[in-house]
Amino acid sequence: MIRTDEGELRFPRDPALGGWYTEEEIGAAVTAIRESMDWRVGFRAKHREVEFEDAFARFVGAAHAVAYNGAGSALDMVLKALELGAEDEVISCGINFVGAHVSVLGSGGRLVLCEPDPATLNLDPQDVERVITSKTRAILATHMNGLAADIDALLDIAARNPHPEFGPPLVIEDAARACGATYNGRRVGSLGWATVFSFQSKKLMTTLGEGGMVTTDDASLAARLRRLRSFGKNIHWGTNLKMSKAQAAVGLVQLRRLDAMNERRIHLARQRNEWLDNTVPLSLPYEHADRQHVYYRYSVLVPPEWRGAAGTD
Ligand SMILES: *Cc1c(COP(=O)(O)O)cnc(C)c1O
């Protein structure tokens, strides 16, 4: 708690920095700048970007990784690749980061909101089952606050509810808050059709404050995403959504340190559990035996009596 100038006690705001840097990241950024001073080389990212993408794909266990300038633009392009019509539906969780909703709205399809599971705060598979229709093209699962959503249940629902023309709805994962998290012994990023990660300043690892990545096993989606981020490569529409060389160089170092940084978060969360357990009537963050929570946020639920005066009748 911090005391304001007026003497009020306030809970401190979320930190603006999620991961943190060592001399190694600083060295990688400086090297990228120095190398770029060769007039024949410049700031072209190609080599470093491919190195970072390959390392990231190996880390999550996916066939392809495509770097972007952010998770928001990456998710926009994954949805664009679906070429949704106005009737097409995308199911997404009501409790979410606004960017996930905005991407669906911008894709031309219909956003269909679904309830969260009150324990995990992730998409509730039972409610997905209730809202899915023959117009559903995709299920967008945000791994809220660092705990993986129940992807197997979502894949199963999708398989049982195929779209008449396009087949089972595709499971897209927003893992902006879950870089390094696991699900049944696998890393998030190797489960659904496409998974989007963010390396923005507050996230679990960061590439100089902005950055993103998509992982997928679908070679044609990966090729499409590479064209979309680079003016369509003369094949179709595209724009410039590329990651810079210094960002990729720093990302390589952050990726190597990600598990160690996440360990610190997990340790702090366990300490908080001990401090809060039995002292106040809060619902502590849900832990699942087969899913490593990486605690992008340590979220607790307060009892209904604490809900305050909002929403009076
Ligand atoms: C941060 C965040 C994004 C957007 O990521 P950017 O890299 O900032 O574009 C999208 N979804 C979720 C759940 C996020 O937390």
Side-chain angles (χ1 to χ4, degrees):
M1 292 294 223
I2 47 174
R3 198 172 284 279
T4 64
D5 291 345
E6 291 78 41
E8 252 181 274
L9 274 179
R10 284 269 173 81
F11 201 74
R13 292 171 67 116
D14 282 334
L17 184 62
W20 61 93
Y21 282 5
T22 61
E23 284 306 315
E24 217 190 327
E25 282 88 345
I26 295 166
V30 170
T31 303
I33 297 168
R34 286 201 202 289
E35 290 175 350
S36 306
M37 291 304 102
D38 179 338
W39 62 270
R40 288 159 300 196
V41 179
F43 279 102
R44 285 183 55 201
K46 202 74 201 148
H47 170 66
R48 278 292 133 66
E49 190 184 65
V50 170
E51 227 182 308
F52 183 35
E53 288 176 338
D54 288 352
F56 201 87
R58 271 198 307 279
F59 176 76
V60 302
H64 310 276
V66 185
Y68 265 76
N69 63 351
S73 54
L75 184 56
D76 283 351
M77 294 306 122
V78 169
L79 288 165
K80 190 166 190 67
L82 287 178
E83 296 176 5
L84 299 176
E87 297 276 283
D88 291 334
E89 296 173 354
V90 177
I91 298 172
S92 181
C93 190
I95 288 195
N96 222 319
F97 173 66
V98 66
H101 295 333
V102 168
S103 272
V104 176
L105 295 174
S107 71
R110 271 194 65 216
L111 172 64
V112 176
L113 291 180
C114 147
E115 294 295 327
D117 173 321
T120 65
L121 305 183
N122 282 322
L123 211 69
D124 178 1
Q126 278 183 7
D127 206 48
V128 173
E129 191 99 56
R130 195 178 62 77
V131 300
I132 200 165
T133 71
S134 59
K135 293 176 180 165
T136 306
R137 294 282 311 279
I139 301 170
L140 174 57
T142 300
H143 300 303
M144 204 57 186
N145 296 339
L147 177 72
D150 193 350
I151 295 299
D152 281 347
L154 300 176
L155 288 169
D156 176 59
I157 295 167
R160 285 189 282 102
N161 293 274
H163 184 283
E165 191 183 342
F166 297 100
L170 294 163
V171 174
I172 300 170
E173 299 170 63
D174 181 341
R177 301 179 173 207
C179 202
T182 65
Y183 179 86
N184 292 344
R186 292 168 66 183
R187 292 276 187 188
V188 163
S190 63
L191 310 161
W193 175 58
T195 308
V196 173
F197 296 89
S198 170
F199 310 131
Q200 186 264 351
S201 174
K202 285 185 201 165
K203 302 298 156 84
L204 299 145
M205 58 177 268
T206 181
T207 50
L208 299 173
E210 298 289 352
M213 188 75 82
V214 185
T215 57
T216 182
D217 284 342
D218 181 337
S220 79
L221 174 67
R224 182 93 188 255
L225 290 171
R226 289 184 204 289
R227 294 194 295 268
L228 283 165
R229 75 175 172 192
S230 189
F231 299 111
K233 301 248 172 87
N234 301 328
I235 295 175
H236 53 69
W237 180 89
T239 183
N240 179 3
L241 302 168
K242 293 193 290 291
M243 175 178 275
S244 76
K245 183 198 278 182
Q247 285 177 300
V250 163
L252 270 164
V253 182
Q254 283 271 283
L255 181 62
R256 280 200 294 275
R257 295 186 44 244
L258 177 66
D259 279 340
M261 291 193 291
N262 284 346
E263 258 329 302
R264 293 264 292 265
R265 288 173 178 271
I266 294 161
H267 179 70
L268 184 59
R270 301 243 156 92
Q271 276 183 336
R272 286 171 165 173
N273 284 344
E274 277 171 33
W275 294 331
L276 294 174
D277 204 18
N278 300 324
T279 52
V280 268
L282 299 172
S283 302
L284 301 184
Y286 183 81
E287 289 227 19
H288 193 291
D290 299 317
R291 296 178 212 168
Q292 181 61 65
H293 195 322
V294 286
Y295 291 100
Y296 171 75
R297 289 280 179 267
Y298 181 92
S299 6
V300 296
L301 293 180
V302 300
E305 313 79 88
W306 291 17
R307 80 188 141 197
T312 49
D313 48 15

